[in-house]
Amino acid sequence: AEVLGPDYVERDRAARLFLYRGDMEREWEAYGPDARRIVTRFTDGINAYLDWLGDHPEAMPPEFEMLGYAPARWSPEDVVRIRSHGLVHNVMSEVARARTTYRAGWRADLIRQRLEPACQPHQADGIDLDLPDDVLAVYLLATQPLVLVEDPRKPLGQGRLRDEGSNNWAVAGRRTATGRPILANDPHRAYATPSLRYIAHLSAPGLDVIGAGEPALPGITAGHNGSVAFGFTIAPVDTEDLYVYELHPDDPTRYRYRDTWERMRIVRELVPVKGETPQEVELAFTRHGPVVCVEEKRQRAFAIRTTWLEPGTAPYLASLRYLRARNGREFRAALDGWRSPGENHVYADTCGEIGCQTAALVPRRVGWNGLLPVPGDGRYEWDGFYAPTDFPARIDPVEGFVATANDFNLPADFVARRNIGYEWSDPARIERIVQVLSTDSPHTLADSMRLQVDVASPSAQELIGLLRELRADGDSRLASAISMLTSWDTVESADSPAAALYEVWVSRHLAPMFVRSALPAGAGDTIVEVDKKALREAMRHSEAWWSRDPYARRDELLVTSLARAYEELESLLGSDPAGWRWGALHPNRQRHPLGFLDPSLDVGPLPVGGSSTTVAAAPYFATDLVQRLGASYRMVVDVGEWDNSVAITTPGQSGDPRSPHYRDLVERWQADEYVPLLYSRTAIERHTERRITLVPAEK
């Protein structure tokens, strides 16, 4: 609001609700003994540049001129108090499940999200699952990216794609062509310009680390330090709960807790507003967390409890602990302090050890599973936490590799297997990764590069196999559609006609038609996105959804939806299927926040292949088919021969649109190419383009 005006006061209020407001001493201690000094030096550097800009206004980034303001100075606390950019789960899913359960029963929600391990959501006695439409509006304002072309007072309409995850793997030296381990990582996040990931090499006494981090954080989260290579993927553990409170009939600031009425903590703050006097906002908190919605008519309030409000959960900042690890053992020990977000950390060291360690801070829920909202009356409290030391590690497995892709990978003997979360990614990516890594031929860097950009979709064969026995009954379009898909190699390349038909069929026709057919009228309105694995299982086991003639109904659904998809492709791409291209319907767009003022700041659209079920993840909403997220950064590390390592980011290394490096990598990224991730001083000196020397100002 200070920059953009009064329409943004509600967004500022929402962001303030989710700031960390706890003990700052415990907060700094959680990241290690030197974390405060590191973060202070980091923000000192930012502020030194702001001082320099004061003397060199011509160098000010153009965005500030476009919006008519100057950047504010940073404090170390800014880095740790802001948590809402981290990936946490699963309050959005709780609300979606509550709505579907209210209308059609909890089994209906399995179409939206499979549960692993299988279980029934715990529904608390007395809970009313008829939730207000805007119950999470404030939460979404606090956590979604700022998109200036939308109504600033409302969150984005479609929510967050479920497939925001990553891939990683490490291959032991005995399985590689060189005898050295190979580590690969490609984090998947929303695309934007500038990119979320920034490649850096930090070299100082006692520290020599290279890889990618986030510009607002010190350090490197995915890379290597000359002794250990490391990468991560999200482990979607359940770290959020929505609490529902009965309000006092005469005082909406008091809520029932056990045998008494407890008062909310009210905080009032002033929000600066462009062109106006500051506006006072009121922030309400229960003992569980910030109040995000009050339903006055029914005398209910809703608050969110989340681990990100616990000490030490500033996203990714705990990576400072492992930057100096000298081997795998020290790397795992450093993860004892990792709390947020939940991650599967994969590593490989120069001694040849490879491993995987899950690390997170996860609530212990005794007698309930966190899959639905619960009353805030004291019956559903967290009973402490599972800490990183509670999670199992895999070290030098017999397979000769470790790999994760946000999948359900907890071993059967893990005590908390049924307590830390039930909502995991479609297993299609990990199944393909394991398939490729399990081949007998020695693995190479080139193999890992090819696997990161792999758009084969073996999972598509599950649905396509069902088409082989179906008849077109004289329908030439349907016959062409069946022939196209059953003869397809299920590689979802950008230039594939069959991939275009398959994805439009599944996302725009088969999935929504199945929802309407399997659920009572109106119940499917709560399901924005269908779980693709659940859809494939429903088509193979249709008796679970239809009691009469289930497979006849399924076959009718398959042919009807496929015929409609083929007809839509004709209207979208022309009557000749030979000219269809998946990339023509499925663009990648890397938008700049101010692209609506100057479209030249945006990057794309770029035709891309892949989908949510390919290793090269390219999920989309069915409404527009635009790739929303994926790997903006890819890295493949030759452990021990570091200069052989490669990486790529998009659109470029510079966030300044005046720089030649603003978008100079996007073509290589789109073509699945990489650039060297040089590490040795000799190699770097040989390829240096420019030096910038920073000299302390005279006092």
Side-chain angles (χ1 to χ4, degrees):
E2 185 176 11
V3 175
L4 300 171
D7 284 345
Y8 291 84
V9 169
E10 281 304 307
R11 187 177 283 269
D12 282 349
R13 176 184 174 275
R16 290 166 184 243
L17 272 173
F18 286 94
L19 288 175
Y20 174 73
R21 295 172 181 267
D23 186 320
M24 288 305 297
E25 289 302 318
R26 291 180 60 199
E27 171 69 9
W28 286 117
E29 290 171 2
Y31 308 111
D34 56 355
R36 181 182 295 192
R37 179 174 58 88
I38 291 171
V39 175
T40 300
R41 297 277 180 89
F42 176 73
T43 55
D44 284 349
I46 295 172
N47 292 332
Y49 183 63
L50 296 182
D51 292 340
W52 183 84
L53 285 175
D55 296 328
H56 301 81
E58 73 283 355
M60 181 71 73
E63 292 92 337
F64 295 99
E65 182 179 353
M66 294 169 69
L67 293 179
Y69 79 105
R73 297 176 68 82
W74 287 45
S75 73
E77 288 71 27
D78 293 328
V79 174
V80 296
R81 293 188 67 216
I82 299 171
R83 308 285 173 86
S84 49
H85 57 291
L87 292 184
V88 289
H89 306 80
N90 70 338
V91 74
M92 291 174 61
S93 188
E94 279 186 27
V95 170
R97 181 174 295 106
R99 288 176 171 150
T100 306
T101 300
Y102 176 74
R103 295 191 185 187
W106 69 269
R107 287 190 71 254
D109 189 68
L110 297 178
I111 297 174
R112 183 193 61 82
Q113 175 72 65
R114 294 168 303 112
L115 300 179
E116 297 181 276
C119 71
Q120 179 172 341
H122 175 85
Q123 185 167 342
D125 291 340
I127 192 74
D128 185 350
L129 298 181
D130 183 15
L131 304 180
D133 291 342
D134 62 348
V135 67
L136 289 184
V138 169
Y139 172 85
L140 293 173
L141 281 175
T143 57
Q144 287 187 342
L146 179 62
V147 179
L148 300 179
V149 294
E150 298 281 344
D151 184 338
R153 293 158 295 186
K154 296 180 181 179
L156 300 182
Q158 300 185 87
R160 189 170 69 197
L161 275 166
R162 179 170 51 244
D163 302 283
E164 198 161 21
S166 307
N167 305 313
N168 64 16
W169 55 86
V171 183
R174 61 185 172 85
R175 294 288 312 277
T176 70
T178 64
R180 297 184 298 273
I182 293 173
L183 182 139
N185 189 201
D186 54 299
H188 306 161
R189 293 293 295 272
Y191 286 105
T193 301
S195 174
L196 173 68
R197 308 293 178 192
Y198 181 76
I199 301 175
H201 185 172
L202 307 177
S203 186
L207 182 71
D208 197 12
V209 59
I210 190 170
E214 298 186 13
L217 299 174
I220 299 295
T221 51
H224 73 81
N225 63 7
S227 297
V228 185
F230 42 86
F232 58 83
T233 68
I234 286 291
V237 292
D238 184 354
T239 57
E240 297 177 304
D241 283 306
L242 182 68
Y243 282 88
V244 186
Y245 304 90
E246 176 190 351
L247 296 179
H248 191 286
D250 300 320
D251 185 354
T253 68
R254 295 163 68 191
Y255 61 96
R256 184 179 296 281
Y257 187 77
R258 301 198 188 279
D259 297 326
T260 187
W261 294 99
E262 193 160 298
R263 191 171 297 279
M264 297 177 186
R265 180 168 63 95
I266 305 298
V267 176
R268 293 178 175 85
E269 296 183 352
L270 290 177
V271 174
V273 181
K274 182 179 181 179
E276 298 184 5
T277 58
Q279 290 190 24
E280 184 178 81
V281 295
E282 184 175 282
L283 312 175
F285 302 87
T286 71
R287 62 168 47 234
H288 299 116
V291 176
V292 294
C293 180
V294 174
E295 192 179 22
E296 294 181 3
K297 183 177 180 181
R298 301 176 66 181
Q299 296 182 335
R300 294 194 299 176
F302 303 83
I304 291 176
R305 188 171 189 186
T306 171
T307 56
W308 87 39
L309 299 180
E310 297 293 324
T313 56
Y316 306 104
L317 191 59
S319 61
L320 294 176
R321 284 180 171 266
Y322 60 60
L323 297 185
R324 299 183 184 93
R326 294 169 295 182
N327 51 49
R329 178 182 57 80
E330 291 186 4
F331 180 79
R332 294 195 309 276
L335 294 178
D336 291 351
W338 187 284
R339 299 181 184 180
S340 181
E343 299 283 2
N344 297 302
H345 298 268
V346 163
Y347 69 89
D349 68 18
T350 50
C351 298
E353 181 177 295
I354 65 169
C356 176
Q357 173 72 63
T358 301
L361 187 73
V362 187
R364 293 179 183 266
R365 301 174 179 89
V366 179
W368 55 296
N369 51 29
L371 290 169
L372 286 169
V374 292
D377 57 13
R379 290 180 289 157
Y380 294 91
E381 297 297 337
W382 292 355
D383 185 23
F385 299 92
Y386 294 103
T389 51
D390 294 316
F391 288 85
R394 296 185 65 212
I395 304 169
D396 291 333
V398 294
E399 301 92 340
F401 65 85
V402 290
T404 75
N406 322 112
D407 53 303
F408 182 49
N409 57 11
L410 299 173
D413 59 353
F414 178 42
V415 174
R417 192 170 189 259
R418 297 187 62 88
N419 294 71
I420 67 167
Y422 298 85
E423 301 180 333
W424 310 85
S425 288
D426 191 313
R429 283 186 289 122
I430 192 63
E431 290 170 358
R432 175 62 175 164
I433 291 169
V434 170
Q435 178 188 52
V436 172
L437 295 182
S438 298
T439 58
D440 292 333
S441 57
H443 193 75
T444 67
L445 290 174
D447 291 333
S448 272
M449 287 185 265
R450 280 191 292 270
L451 182 53
Q452 283 188 332
V453 299
D454 185 277
V455 290
S457 180
S459 64
Q461 297 173 5
E462 294 183 50
L463 289 177
I464 292 172
L466 301 176
L467 300 176
R468 300 186 189 279
E469 305 301 321
L470 300 182
R471 297 180 302 174
D473 291 333
D475 186 330
S476 59
R477 284 176 170 164
L478 181 57
S480 296
I482 292 174
S483 175
M484 176 182 289
L485 291 184
T486 55
S487 61
W488 178 40
D489 61 4
T490 66
V491 175
E492 298 198 71
S493 58
D495 59 359
S496 170
L501 176 60
Y502 175 79
E503 290 296 334
V504 169
W505 171 46
V506 172
S507 64
R508 287 190 167 181
H509 297 277
L510 179 60
M513 287 178 66
F514 169 65
V515 169
R516 290 194 296 271
S517 175
L519 300 185
D525 296 344
T526 64
I527 299 177
V528 175
E529 186 184 1
V530 172
D531 187 307
K532 298 294 174 53
K533 178 67 173 178
L535 178 64
R536 299 192 298 269
E537 290 177 348
M539 293 299 100
R540 292 200 316 272
H541 305 289
S542 298
E543 71 280 359
W545 295 100
W546 295 291
S547 57
R548 296 184 57 186
D549 301 321
Y551 291 97
R553 295 186 68 176
R554 177 202 68 185
D555 292 348
E556 176 63 22
L557 180 66
L558 291 171
V559 296
T560 301
S561 60
L562 183 57
R564 292 180 182 176
Y566 192 91
E567 185 176 359
E568 182 181 7
L569 261 291
E570 287 184 319
S571 67
L572 292 173
L573 298 176
S575 59
D576 182 7
W580 295 354
R581 297 290 183 269
W582 174 220
L585 297 176
H586 183 47
N588 171 286
R589 290 196 175 101
Q590 299 166 29
R591 295 191 183 277
H592 189 284
L594 301 188
F596 77 104
L597 292 177
D598 182 357
S600 70
L601 297 174
D602 291 340
V603 174
L606 309 167
V608 293
S611 70
S612 63
T613 62
T614 59
V615 177
Y620 57 85
F621 285 117
T623 50
D624 60 11
L625 306 177
V626 173
Q627 182 189 13
R628 286 296 200 282
L629 56 91
S632 61
Y633 172 68
R634 299 186 180 107
M635 171 188 76
V636 180
V637 179
D638 186 348
V639 178
E641 288 293 332
W642 306 109
D643 286 341
N644 295 337
S645 305
V646 295
I648 191 69
T649 187
T650 183
Q653 268 289 95
S654 175
D656 190 334
R658 299 167 298 192
S659 167
H661 302 298
Y662 179 71
R663 64 178 81 227
D664 62 337
L665 292 175
V666 69
E667 287 81 10
R668 293 190 183 194
W669 175 88
Q670 184 187 16
D672 298 337
E673 297 175 356
Y674 293 74
V675 296
L677 191 65
L678 300 178
Y679 183 69
S680 71
R681 175 65 62 180
T682 301
I684 291 170
E685 295 284 0
R686 190 164 59 244
H687 294 280
T688 294
E689 174 191 282
R690 183 184 181 195
R691 291 177 184 271
I692 301 173
T693 302
L694 306 181
V695 181
E698 294 183 4
K699 298 293 186 182

